[in-house]
Amino acid sequence: MRIVIWVVEGTWQGCVDAASRSLPSGAQVALLHVTPSDVAEVAGAATTGLLGRAFAGRRPARSFRDVADAAASELLADAAARLGRQDAELLRRRGRVEREVIRAVAENVDLLVVARDGDHSRLGPHSLGPATRFVVDHAPCAVLLVWPDQPPGIESIPPPPPPGHHLPPDRD
Amino acid sequence: MPGPIAETLAGVLLVATLASAVVRPWGLPEAVVAVPAAGLLLLLGILPLTQAGAEARSLAPTIGFLAAVLVLASLCDRFGLFEAAGSWMASGSRGRPVTLLALVFAIASTVTAVLSLDATVVLLTPVVFATVARLRLRAKPHVYACTHLANSASLLLPVSNLTNLLAFSASGLSFVRFGATMALPWLAAIAVEWLVLRRFFAVDLVGHAEPVAGTRSPVPVFACVVVVLTLLGFFVTSLLHIAPAFAALGGAVTLAVPALVSRRATVRDVGLALEVPFLAFVLALGLIVKAVSVHGLGSLVSHLVPGGTSLGALLLIAVIAAVLANLINNLPAVLLLLPAASVAGPGAVLAVLIGVNTGPNLTYVGSLATLLWRRVLRERGEELPLSEFVRLGALTVPLVLVASTVALWVSLRLMG
């Protein structure tokens, strides 16, 4: 069995912990991190956008890309250590996050572990961020959706609708 | 030379200058095309020497002011001011991404207002990026905040943006009056950016930062004191009717001498920080735009710019300026609009600034040309998912334009 754990800043610890609790023994594990390419892109291009100031003397010492790559590598190494699986394969990708995740699990993957990234106070269709939503919808394998921290209690369910009321058709 | 030919040639040279500044063939400085283009206009008599001289004289103090601010910001970096700001944001956020975003807003708005948008883009953004990576939070909201605020928080003072410096000399306003009138529009712009970004990036503002190992960068007290004194100097010189550029020069020299003595910076570093090619580019661009203005486009623009300081007129001016800034970039836009706007009064000049400063967040750092160029890059196989940037701009720019212009209108009423 081959399992991919998608780690993201802010939620990775809970995600790794939840995955380690449900890992079948003998499973092959890969840890995946995707750096959104637009962030370094926007930051770098803001410099080029300053008309007339493109001058070699003002380039930052380390490119945004290098900083992001180093941070991603460290995050993956820490995730492997937290998982206690130094044999885990580390997948570092860059691009449009949701598409890179799907690409990484497109073949020979049985399970993708994903952290919910929404806000506990607004449970509902939008409690998943756009990238996570896309991944859940399009992953060609089973998806294990885990809470990165404490799951909400049963009291988070809203009161039932009044009799005769039908749920609106899902427009997502 | 017959009018239509002169007009066309001036227009072609302006387009060539802007295009080469965006494309930068062989990585050459922008001045390499701009300066010969301006020279050609002078040589052919399309821009008469007397008018060129007048334009150069009116631009010279602005360019001096710009040079002093560039050196001041660069020396602040040498003294570790931006690193210290990064440390301060990291510890002040206490690991909470929303608190960190608030601190990024505070620092980016202040740095932009006092040390100019260049300092935010070139010196602060990399520090914010590294700080967020170190805290292991998602970089997107914080980096987008820096790039947005570099534009929309550059309304406050003449030093905040080169467009402001150009308008400042044309408006006849004092430094104090400029700042006092633009305080409300500046706050309105920041408030709108906060409300929109906070919601837009709600999903990326999750989790908790991880404890960071390593030492805290010390606060460079001397550099901070010099910056505060320079800021006070702007107001004092303005009250004494001395050019505030001298305050900037004073600040730059006060930082440069100890930096050179302690070998934080070499003479070469200070020379590079002066960015002579950029200063030459600004002067040349000013002359080229002048040539285009005297040959017809100026009168077309003056028909476009409405007179009066009614709310409707101010809004219309801000929108025209924003559209023009997106079409041809904000430097040439402000140079084209200023002559007509300064006839209509300081209110109109400040409305132009709201448009040219905040408009650039719409089409990717300020110019349609940049956007088109990026499309070419994409066709070469570089993937650039920028739809999010454009969507965010489409949300913030109209709101910021309206909020800031209404605030300007209120300010003008309050200031009398």
Side-chain angles (χ1 to χ4, degrees):
Chain A
M1 187 176 192
R2 191 170 142 80
I3 298 177
V4 173
I5 305 170
W6 176 25
V7 294
V8 185
E9 292 85 353
T11 54
W12 69 277
Q13 287 151 312
C15 185
V16 167
D17 294 349
S20 71
R21 282 193 296 272
S22 27
L23 271 188
S25 58
Q28 242 188 309
V29 183
L31 289 154
L32 166 70
H33 178 271
V34 185
T35 306
S37 51
D38 60 337
V39 180
E41 216 23 78
V42 162
T47 325
T48 38
L50 292 174
L51 193 71
R53 284 92 135 184
F55 195 53
R58 298 209 310 175
R59 295 273 155 249
R62 278 176 86 198
S63 78
F64 291 104
R65 202 173 257 230
D66 294 345
V67 174
D69 286 348
S73 296
E74 278 174 32
L75 174 58
L76 283 172
D78 287 357
R82 191 177 181 101
L83 191 63
R85 291 282 298 262
Q86 292 306 331
D87 62 327
E89 191 187 347
L90 305 182
L91 307 170
R92 201 184 74 191
R93 299 286 156 85
R94 151 185 301 281
R96 206 179 272 247
V97 175
E98 62 278 15
R99 288 176 191 273
E100 286 303 318
V101 173
I102 297 298
R103 201 175 293 177
V105 299
E107 278 169 24
N108 304 326
V109 171
D110 303 291
L111 181 67
L112 170 67
V113 184
V114 179
R116 303 185 65 112
D117 52 2
D119 163 4
H120 286 206
S121 62
R122 284 184 296 163
L123 297 176
H126 297 289
S127 70
L128 294 183
T132 313
R133 178 82 243 172
F134 185 95
V135 168
V136 168
D137 286 343
H138 296 281
C141 60
V143 175
L144 176 62
L145 199 56
V146 300
W147 287 101
D149 42 16
Q150 280 303 309
I154 199 87
E155 68 283 354
S156 66
I157 300 174
H165 177 90
H166 296 284
L167 282 174
D170 195 354
R171 266 172 278 166
D172 273 295
Chain B
M1 188 177 290
I5 297 178
E7 199 176 303
T8 314
L9 194 58
V12 166
L13 286 173
L14 175 61
V15 171
T17 303
L18 293 179
S20 71
V22 171
V23 177
R24 289 205 308 121
W26 306 291
L28 291 170
E30 297 83 343
V32 169
V33 174
V35 172
L40 190 63
L41 289 172
L42 285 175
L43 204 67
L44 295 176
I46 295 174
L47 181 62
L49 270 177
T50 49
Q51 284 189 348
E55 181 70 11
R57 267 195 303 280
S58 82
L59 280 175
T62 301
I63 290 172
F65 204 163
L66 176 67
V69 175
L70 288 172
V71 172
L72 186 66
S74 165
L75 288 169
C76 282
D77 186 39
R78 296 266 166 188
F79 275 92
L81 187 69
F82 298 98
E83 287 300 328
S87 282
W88 182 73
M89 286 187 277
S91 60
S93 70
R94 299 191 189 165
R96 287 191 292 265
V98 176
T99 314
L100 180 65
L101 185 64
L103 296 177
V104 169
F105 259 72
I107 296 276
S109 301
T110 311
V111 166
T112 306
V114 178
L115 292 172
S116 93
L117 90 161
D118 289 46
T120 297
V121 169
V122 181
L123 304 171
L124 181 66
T125 309
V127 169
V128 167
F129 196 81
T131 302
V132 177
R134 212 164 52 229
L135 290 173
R136 222 169 248 176
L137 289 168
R138 303 183 190 180
K140 199 176 272 187
H142 311 286
V143 169
Y144 275 64
C146 283
T147 59
H148 260 234
L149 289 169
N151 286 321
S152 41
S154 72
L155 293 174
L156 184 63
L157 298 174
V159 286
S160 313
N161 197 326
L162 175 55
T163 53
N164 297 8
L165 278 176
L166 294 167
F168 174 55
S169 60
S171 70
L173 289 166
S174 71
F175 197 98
V176 176
R177 203 170 175 82
F178 187 110
T181 317
M182 288 304 251
L184 272 183
W186 179 68
L187 290 172
I190 297 167
V192 171
E193 294 282 3
W194 170 261
L195 292 173
V196 176
L197 263 75
R198 171 76 186 81
R199 252 189 96 81
F200 192 86
F201 290 118
V203 167
D204 292 306
L205 293 167
V206 295
H208 202 272
E210 287 160 48
V212 189
T215 50
R216 261 188 86 169
S217 313
V219 177
V221 180
F222 179 67
C224 288
V225 169
V226 171
V227 170
V228 172
L229 287 178
T230 307
L231 193 57
L232 287 176
F234 289 145
F235 292 105
V236 173
T237 48
S238 161
L239 293 175
L240 297 174
H241 303 288
I242 303 168
F246 287 108
L249 180 67
V253 171
T254 315
L255 272 189
V257 172
L260 290 171
V261 170
S262 68
R263 298 180 187 227
R264 281 174 202 276
T266 61
V267 176
R268 184 172 176 274
D269 294 329
V270 177
L272 283 177
L274 266 175
E275 303 206 32
V276 177
F278 175 37
L279 304 178
F281 173 77
V282 173
L283 179 63
L285 185 64
L287 293 177
I288 296 167
V289 171
K290 182 77 186 170
V292 174
S293 298
V294 296
H295 285 283
L297 199 57
S299 65
L300 179 73
V301 170
S302 63
H303 286 300
L304 266 176
V305 176
T309 53
S310 69
L311 183 56
L314 293 177
L315 276 171
L316 188 60
I317 294 172
V319 170
I320 291 170
V323 170
L324 204 56
N326 279 298
L327 285 176
I328 60 170
N329 200 302
N330 59 4
L331 279 188
V334 81
L335 289 169
L336 267 178
L337 287 170
L338 273 182
S342 41
V343 173
V349 171
L350 297 177
V352 165
L353 287 182
I354 289 176
V356 295
N357 291 354
T358 70
N361 281 335
L362 195 59
T363 55
Y364 208 64
V365 287
S367 115
L368 195 58
T370 318
L371 197 68
L372 293 175
W373 173 239
R374 303 189 62 76
R375 178 149 296 173
V376 176
L377 279 183
R378 188 170 352 196
E379 279 162 11
R380 289 184 191 167
E382 293 202 16
E383 203 195 348
L384 305 166
L386 289 175
S387 61
E388 197 161 32
F389 186 94
V390 176
R391 261 193 307 133
L392 182 63
L395 282 174
T396 58
V397 168
L399 288 174
V400 168
L401 266 184
V402 172
S404 296
T405 312
V406 171
L408 172 65
W409 179 76
V410 172
S411 240
L412 290 170
R413 292 290 167 288
L414 290 176
M415 309 281 297

